[in-house]
Amino acid sequence: MKEGSQKNITSIISQDEAGICQAVEILRAGGIVALPTETVYGLAGNALMPNVIDKIYKAKARPLNNPLIWHVHSLEKALTLFDIASLSEQSYKRLICLAQNFWPGPLTLVCKKSPVLPLAYDTVAIRIPKTAPTLEIIRRCDFPLAMPSANLSSRPSPTTAQHVLKTLSGRIDAVFMGDHAEGGLESTVVLIDDRVTILRPGLISIKEIQNALKETVNNEVTSHKKILSPGTRYLHYAPKMKSVSLNLVNDASKFFYLRPLIIGRNIELDQLRNMAGSSLADFIDLSNEPKIFARQLYDAFYRAEEYKDRHLILILPPNHEEWAAINDRMKRAAGLS
Ligand code: TXA
Ligand code: MG
């Protein structure tokens, strides 16, 4: 299906026991349902059914060589899907340590897959999400759920059910009307083989991972060597605008002549507002605090599309550990990495 083409009616599922039963029923029947998680909304389907996986790729118009994260409800279940025997004792301990520290939560672990899994890749990415109704839905399904973010490929990830409907209405069977995603950015993706490598920065910081493991880990994101997480190669998270650029606050005024829309921290937008007034630019203010900024970012991207014939300027946040995942997503939205 091309973007914009609609095939079916997408059912709206209420956030209650009846809704949980309905979601499980659709998933058992081979349907695909958008579910809330603590990171972003995901598009769930039975990970073991090739025709269901095919539906997910088609609904999202996702490149076929970008693999999906599997979601399970327990560490025991995850251990049956990984090839534990292939790990050294040290790496097995690292896996257990990270799972016990951060699951359920916004951490995806990538390990060699169990030989019985029907996958083209040698590895499988797994996480246990925290959001209660979704965890319950996964528990009641007796299969892992493949769950990429519930947006058309390259568009911003959804943090509300309304965002899901903006790009996937008519393309998926149902959407569960959960709360606003608490974290607002995707999970941190970590590869465990004979070492530990961060493949995608996310809600759990590298510092938190290093503190839990009591060792330094490799950072694929900054090393710019071979790309191990295929999804990080594509243009991502981009709002549909005339153009999207990422600028230092001190450079933004150079673009006032374009009457841009500017998204950034309130502290910096105040500075620009004083220079521009309301005639030279429009502003979407986000928090000065990184955790709140993360929760607000994708919503700001969708709001920006209300100004879609305008140029969008993103103000570069601080180059600090706490802002690493935000920086990554803003760079990708501007097509910079
Ligand atoms: O927070 C999240 O991770 C959300 C929620 C719904 O769980 N999901 C999500 O999925 O962000 P998606 O498909 O948008 O991003 C998955 C990322 C991609 O960059 C993909 O390439 C990478 O995980 N990935 C999946 N399987 C992998 C594997 N076997 N090896 C390396 N990277 C993998
Ligand atoms: Mg995604």
Side-chain angles (χ1 to χ4, degrees):
M1 265 189 289
K2 292 209 180 73
E3 177 169 356
S5 68
Q6 302 196 352
K7 219 169 64 173
N8 305 306
I9 303 284
T10 296
S11 305
I12 304 296
I13 298 183
S14 57
Q15 182 170 214
D16 51 22
E17 172 59 24
I20 290 175
C21 293
Q22 197 185 339
V24 171
E25 205 174 303
I26 297 172
L27 290 164
R28 284 200 183 129
I32 54 175
V33 184
L35 299 177
T37 86
E38 74 281 20
T39 60
V40 299
Y41 274 64
L43 178 57
N46 184 342
L48 301 174
M49 298 284 288
N51 65 324
V52 175
I53 299 305
D54 189 50
K55 279 188 208 173
I56 292 179
Y57 276 94
K58 285 204 171 107
K60 279 181 61 74
R62 181 179 176 102
L64 291 172
N65 56 356
N66 188 9
L68 308 176
I69 298 175
W70 289 19
H71 296 66
V72 298
H73 76 278
S74 70
L75 172 57
E76 290 65 35
K77 179 73 183 172
L79 293 180
T80 66
L81 302 170
F82 289 138
D83 185 8
I84 296 305
S86 72
L87 290 175
S88 65
E89 197 184 327
Q90 190 188 13
S91 280
Y92 179 74
K93 282 189 183 147
R94 290 164 164 153
L95 169 67
I96 300 297
C97 168
L98 291 180
Q100 286 178 342
N101 271 278
F102 301 113
W103 279 355
L107 179 73
T108 296
L109 294 174
V110 181
C111 276
K112 205 158 177 234
K113 73 171 175 80
S114 156
V116 300
L117 294 184
L119 287 173
Y121 289 87
D122 289 343
T123 55
V124 61
I126 299 182
R127 99 175 175 95
I128 305 180
K130 201 178 344 186
T131 302
T134 295
L135 196 51
E136 181 58 18
I137 289 165
I138 300 171
R139 199 185 63 74
R140 291 190 200 180
C141 292
D142 50 3
F143 41 81
L145 292 181
M147 219 183 341
S149 51
N151 52 281
L152 267 184
S153 198
S154 90
R155 305 296 310 287
S157 297
T159 53
T160 65
Q162 286 73 25
H163 294 163
V164 174
L165 291 168
K166 275 186 192 225
T167 74
L168 294 182
S169 181
R171 302 170 71 91
I172 61 176
D173 295 305
V175 57
F176 191 93
M177 302 304 281
D179 299 331
H180 192 293
E182 187 191 319
L185 289 185
E186 297 80 355
S187 61
T188 307
V189 180
V190 174
L191 171 68
I192 303 179
D193 45 22
D194 51 350
R195 46 191 209 148
V196 179
T197 308
I198 309 292
L199 302 184
R200 177 177 76 179
L203 284 179
I204 300 207
S205 71
I206 297 180
K207 201 160 142 199
E208 287 174 281
I209 288 170
Q210 295 189 146
N211 284 346
L213 290 173
K214 300 190 179 59
E215 65 175 320
T216 309
V217 301
N218 304 292
N219 190 351
E220 165 71 14
V221 186
T222 52
S223 72
H224 293 296
K225 285 188 302 220
K226 189 173 147 239
I227 291 173
L228 295 172
S229 182
T232 56
R233 270 191 302 235
Y234 303 104
L235 175 69
H236 258 102
Y237 319 113
K240 280 195 163 170
M241 307 291 294
K242 203 163 194 172
S243 73
V244 183
S245 65
L246 183 63
N247 295 98
L248 293 167
V249 65
N250 291 337
D251 290 336
S253 58
K254 289 181 198 154
F255 302 100
F256 282 164
Y257 77 98
L258 291 169
R259 200 165 169 263
L261 172 69
I262 307 182
I263 295 179
R265 294 187 299 160
N266 165 263
I267 195 172
E268 287 165 333
L269 295 201
D270 272 348
Q271 202 181 312
L272 291 171
R273 224 179 332 257
N274 282 339
M275 294 161 71
S278 56
S279 60
L280 291 178
D282 284 286
F283 299 94
I284 298 182
D285 287 63
L286 304 186
S287 174
N288 301 319
E289 204 279 305
K291 282 200 161 52
I292 303 176
F293 187 111
R295 194 181 310 146
Q296 297 170 331
L297 182 63
Y298 290 142
D299 190 57
F301 282 179
Y302 279 109
R303 276 170 57 202
E305 293 183 348
E306 289 159 27
Y307 303 75
K308 66 180 183 313
D309 55 341
R310 305 272 290 279
H311 295 273
L312 174 62
I313 293 180
L314 307 173
I315 302 297
L316 192 69
N319 185 17
H320 183 274
E321 158 84 19
E322 284 181 302
W323 294 84
I326 292 168
N327 267 309
D328 173 80
R329 304 309 190 265
M330 289 176 93
K331 278 185 192 149
R332 282 177 207 292
L336 293 180
S337 58

